[in-house]
Amino acid sequence: MQSSNPFMKSLTKSTTESQRAQAMAHQQGGYGQTGYAQPGYAQDPYATQQAYQQSPNYGAPQKAADRPMTVDDVVTKTGITLAVIVVFAAITMVIGGSNPSLAMGLTFIGAIGGFIAVMVSAFGRKYDSPIVTLVYAVFEGLFVGGFSWLLSGMAVGDSDAGAMIFQAILGTVGVFIGMLVVYKTGAIRVTPKFNKIMIGALIGVVVLALGNLVFSLFSGDAGLLRDGGPIAIIFSLVCIVLAALSFLTDFDQADQLIRAGAPSKMAWGVALGLAVTLVWLYTEILRLLSYFMRD
């Protein structure tokens, strides 16, 4: 079902590992803004709100750009970000049909560019920057399109490629909705302890994935974590579970910012965080499906 080209396999492994690194960086780096709630730190949104009230400018007329963030802001900014990803993913897939080499290059560029954008947002105090978020969306769209084109078998003319991609999208949407329900019902509560466990688990996954990548580069083999065997299937399932739980942290971050009365522009950072998690979840589901679709 998939191409046997060693270069394509290597690129598939290396670009996917960057997704986990992005997710971990987003969790570890918090959101690069002093005064707002950050995952992994027991910051009280009500204390933040009190700090706003004690500000000399509290109660003064604010510019429209500085109005408090709302759920609609999060939905709108996330929708725009995902739309950009979809558009550029489609462009890469179309290019792949006529120029496979260019598509592979765009996939690699997209993975590296997306990773850098997340680093800038997490550690460069650019959490509220629409430019950083949309730049990430462009790069990540290039990666997602190329990754889907390659891993689904579309690169080798597999007739089931479209169905596999659709199943991965459906699974991603289903998990997202399911975790939103879990968060709203309080079935799993996001606490400082929960965030610490998540960060530790993400670090562990990234270390294992990078170790497997280094091994594969020197041995020419996919490695136990990516060879489609039982261990590879279990590893993908673990990644899917972690990506799903990461949604809870994203939802909680948005909730705290809204309660704290953070500026509306902060919704761009929330959108980036949700996009990182969605892309990671999608790529892991697609990879898992590819294991079962192999001849």
Side-chain angles (χ1 to χ4, degrees):
M1 300 290 291
Q2 299 181 41
S3 173
S4 58
N5 190 314
F7 173 73
M8 298 174 96
K9 288 184 177 179
S10 176
L11 178 58
T12 301
K13 292 194 293 288
S14 61
T15 51
T16 306
E17 307 320 337
S18 72
Q19 301 304 302
R20 268 180 297 281
Q22 288 177 24
M24 186 185 73
H26 189 74
Q27 295 281 344
Q28 277 192 296
Y31 298 92
Q33 293 288 334
T34 303
Y36 300 116
Q38 298 180 14
Y41 299 86
Q43 190 167 17
D44 185 356
Y46 299 103
T48 307
Q49 179 64 32
Q50 186 178 16
Y52 285 143
Q53 293 177 353
Q54 294 174 351
S55 171
N57 296 325
Y58 179 76
Q62 296 181 339
K63 297 180 181 179
D66 295 329
R67 63 176 176 76
M69 187 175 78
T70 65
V71 174
D72 288 342
D73 291 322
V74 175
V75 173
T76 301
K77 303 304 188 294
T78 302
I80 293 173
T81 303
L82 294 179
V84 173
I85 291 176
V86 170
V87 169
F88 280 86
I91 290 174
T92 307
M93 295 181 73
V94 171
I95 292 175
S98 57
N99 193 333
S101 297
L102 178 58
M104 294 297 295
L106 290 176
T107 303
F108 184 78
I109 291 172
I112 299 301
F115 178 77
I116 293 175
V118 171
M119 294 298 102
V120 171
S121 176
F123 302 112
R125 298 185 179 277
K126 299 294 184 180
Y127 183 71
D128 59 354
S129 171
I131 295 177
V132 172
T133 298
L134 293 178
V135 166
Y136 164 82
V138 171
F139 281 121
E140 207 63 7
L142 296 176
F143 165 75
V144 169
F147 185 86
S148 301
W149 168 77
L150 174 62
L151 207 64
S152 66
M154 190 173 293
V156 293
D158 194 328
S159 59
D160 294 330
M164 187 190 298
I165 293 173
F166 177 76
Q167 290 171 7
I169 294 174
L170 191 62
T172 302
V173 173
V175 171
F176 175 83
I177 294 175
M179 296 312 295
L180 182 59
V181 172
V182 168
Y183 179 76
K184 287 297 184 181
T185 58
I188 299 178
R189 297 189 178 278
V190 180
T191 63
K193 182 177 180 180
F194 175 88
N195 286 325
K196 289 178 181 179
I197 293 174
M198 282 295 299
I199 291 175
L202 286 169
I203 291 175
V205 165
V206 169
V207 169
L208 287 173
L210 290 178
N212 187 82
L213 176 61
V214 171
F215 170 79
S216 66
L217 291 176
F218 283 98
S219 66
D221 186 80
L224 288 175
L225 300 182
R226 292 307 184 193
D227 63 0
I231 295 179
I233 292 174
I234 292 173
F235 185 71
S236 286
L237 288 173
V238 170
C239 290
I240 290 172
V241 170
L242 285 178
L245 292 175
S246 294
F247 281 127
L248 299 179
T249 301
D250 294 330
F251 297 151
D252 184 67
Q253 175 65 18
D255 199 17
Q256 290 193 41
L257 288 172
I258 291 172
R259 291 181 182 181
S264 60
K265 62 183 180 179
M266 297 293 287
W268 285 108
V270 177
L272 186 146
L274 288 169
V276 168
T277 307
L278 282 165
V279 169
W280 182 30
L281 178 62
Y282 167 78
T283 55
E284 288 298 339
I285 291 177
L286 186 63
R287 183 184 290 279
L288 183 62
L289 290 174
S290 73
Y291 293 154
F292 294 111
M293 294 293 287
R294 288 179 177 177
D295 291 333

